């Protein structure tokens, strides 16, 4: 049961808000002093904080600021309750809250805002911080969704070859730019071919997943490869471009020549009753990736086994 802490006077309408949230099976505690609530937050962290600005505006501001600046507490969703007439005066850039409610909000609105805050918090926690794309929880959920679907889908596992030598030669900052470039290519191409039915997730590092209708997967993969191979050259220094390779050191510290990054795509067709678990799709993808990673240059491979 999720715990909500309400920092407000113990009067109407707040007491009714508490009853409405409890009917939705939230464990709600209400405190009318910042000192008491602050101790509760620090030593028994709730899952969400609702705080009325009118209690003591300066202290409320300091409490929210302290919470959001503490790395161990910064993910706590905070909803500020304000007087409607103050809406035009609040400097939101100085108030690190996640949402707000006006005093006098209905019980239905309060419950909806709290539920939305939890959904938003979960989504943000899952998103990859470098690309902003959905992370592993969303990827797993999407693949399980297409496994249960009546239609035929393609799950594509995408990663870069020779990315570590590139990072070693040019530094992680330029490596991050390449990762973001690949993310943009995937998002725009999936959107072009599949629209809202498509999905792109970022597993982490240089590993991505896309999900599209099966009939567009190969054509789309060819376009992803073409775009990547055209754009990666812009991230290579002119002297390396002229030389046709990167010059960097291997794990033993010996100078060696390496190609710049290319992209590998392993495509796993998913149709009704072919798979029953996410792990089966991942296992096939791992087999394909093992093969395509040994082929020089950008390539895609479709699992054509029945």
């Amino acid at each position: 049961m999720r715990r909500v802490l309400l920092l407000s006077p113990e009067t109407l309408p707040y007491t009714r808000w508490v009853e409405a949230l409890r009917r939705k099976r939230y464990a709600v505690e209400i405190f009318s002093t910042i000192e008491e609530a602050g101790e509760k937050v620090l030593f028994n962290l709730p899952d969400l904080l609702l705080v009325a600005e009118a209690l003591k505006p300066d202290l409320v501001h300091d409490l929210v600021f302290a919470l959001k600046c503490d790395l161990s507490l910064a993910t706590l969703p905070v909803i500020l309750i304000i007087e409607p007439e103050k809406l035009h005066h609040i400097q939101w850039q100085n108030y690190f809250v996640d949402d707000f409610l006006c005093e006098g909000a209905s019980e239905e609105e309060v419950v909806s805002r709290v539920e939305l805050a939890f959904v938003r918090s979960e989504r943000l926690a899952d998103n990859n911080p470098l690309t902003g794309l959905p992370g592993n929880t969303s990827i797993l959920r999407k693949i399980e969704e297409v496994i249960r679907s009546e239609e035929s889908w393609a799950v594509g596992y995408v990663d870069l070859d020779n990315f570590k030598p590139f990072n070693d030669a040019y530094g992680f900052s330029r490596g991050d730019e390449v990762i973001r470039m690949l993310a943009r290519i995937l998002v725009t191409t999936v959107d072009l071919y599949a629209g809202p039915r498509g999905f792109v997730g970022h597993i982490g590092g240089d590993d991505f997943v896309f999900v599209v209708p099966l009939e567009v997967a190969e054509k789309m993969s060819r376009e992803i490869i073409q775009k990547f191979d055209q754009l990666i050259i812009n991230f290579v220094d002119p002297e390396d471009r002229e030389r046709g390779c990167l010059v960097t050191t291997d794990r033993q510290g010996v100078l060696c020549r390496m190609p710049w990054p290319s992209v590998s795509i392993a495509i796993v067709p998913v149709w009704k009753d072919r798979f029953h678990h996410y792990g089966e799709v991942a296992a096939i993808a791992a087999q394909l990736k093992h093969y395509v990673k040994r082929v020089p240059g950008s390539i895609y491979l479709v699992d054509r086994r029945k």
Side-chain angles (χ1 to χ4, degrees):
M1 185 180 291
R2 284 170 161 161
R3 295 182 302 111
V4 175
L5 193 152
L6 174 59
L7 179 51
S8 72
E10 294 190 49
T11 58
L12 293 174
Y14 304 111
T15 49
R16 276 207 294 265
W17 292 6
V18 171
E19 291 168 10
L21 289 166
R22 285 175 178 164
R23 285 196 295 274
K24 288 290 183 178
R25 303 185 67 79
Y26 290 106
V28 188
E29 290 183 273
I30 183 169
F31 294 92
S32 56
T33 69
I34 292 176
E35 294 76 10
E36 193 181 7
E39 186 175 328
K40 187 75 176 180
V41 169
L42 289 175
F43 294 104
N44 190 11
L45 191 66
D47 298 306
L48 183 143
L49 175 65
L50 280 158
V51 54
E53 196 250 0
L55 269 183
K56 287 184 180 177
D58 290 341
L59 277 180
V60 168
H61 179 276
D62 291 346
L63 172 66
V64 173
F65 185 80
L67 288 172
K68 292 298 185 182
C69 288
D70 187 321
L71 291 179
S72 62
L73 305 174
T75 56
L76 173 68
V78 178
I79 299 177
L80 186 70
I81 305 162
I82 58 173
E83 300 166 359
E85 55 270 27
K86 283 193 171 182
L87 270 178
H88 298 297
H89 305 292
I90 291 277
Q91 300 293 317
W92 291 112
Q93 64 271 29
N94 299 324
Y95 231 133
F96 302 153
V97 294
D98 300 281
D99 200 355
F100 72 90
L101 273 166
C102 285
E103 291 181 359
S106 69
E107 293 154 44
E108 291 78 11
E109 182 178 354
V110 171
V111 170
S112 294
R113 288 292 184 87
V114 167
E115 290 178 344
L116 180 61
F118 279 121
V119 170
R120 186 191 304 119
S121 175
E122 288 171 1
R123 190 167 58 232
L124 290 175
D126 186 47
N127 284 6
N128 185 281
L130 179 61
T131 61
L133 290 173
N136 291 336
T137 302
S138 302
I139 292 170
L140 189 150
R141 192 182 300 137
K142 183 65 182 178
I143 294 176
E144 288 182 339
E145 178 188 317
V146 297
I147 286 175
R148 294 192 301 271
S149 172
E150 299 287 329
E151 302 173 56
S152 295
W153 297 87
V155 177
Y157 284 74
V158 183
D159 77 340
L160 296 178
D161 311 315
N162 306 308
F163 184 63
K164 185 179 182 305
F166 182 88
N167 254 350
D168 291 343
Y170 294 142
F172 70 87
S173 176
R174 200 182 304 186
D176 285 351
E177 291 178 27
V178 171
I179 295 290
R180 282 193 284 263
M181 181 265 286
L182 176 58
R184 286 194 296 273
I185 290 174
L186 291 171
V187 168
T188 54
T189 314
V190 167
D191 185 53
L192 179 66
Y193 281 86
R197 301 178 72 205
F199 170 89
V200 180
H202 189 174
I203 296 172
D206 59 337
D207 291 302
F208 293 83
V209 166
F210 65 71
V211 178
V212 294
L214 182 58
E215 63 270 18
V216 303
E218 287 196 66
K219 188 175 181 184
M220 198 194 74
S221 296
R222 285 195 290 272
E223 188 162 325
I224 289 169
I225 286 172
Q226 182 189 22
K227 289 175 178 173
F228 182 85
D229 287 347
Q230 282 177 347
L231 292 174
I232 187 62
I233 201 75
N234 298 316
F235 296 84
V236 177
D237 282 351
E239 56 270 27
D240 289 332
R241 212 180 302 165
E242 190 173 333
R243 192 185 291 123
C245 64
L246 307 178
V247 176
T248 183
T249 53
D250 62 16
R251 293 179 188 279
Q252 285 72 42
V254 179
L255 271 179
C256 58
R257 292 169 175 263
M258 297 292 293
W260 45 74
S262 53
V263 62
S264 292
I265 305 174
I267 299 173
V268 183
V270 178
W271 56 79
K272 183 174 169 54
D273 295 332
R274 185 184 187 199
F275 299 109
H276 299 91
H277 187 268
Y278 163 84
E280 297 173 85
V281 180
I284 297 290
Q287 293 171 8
L288 298 183
K289 280 177 61 177
H290 180 70
Y291 177 78
V292 295
K293 296 287 282 182
R294 292 184 296 172
V295 178
S298 295
I299 185 174
Y300 76 89
L301 181 65
V302 183
D303 177 44
R304 301 192 188 278
R305 292 170 289 186
K306 300 294 183 184

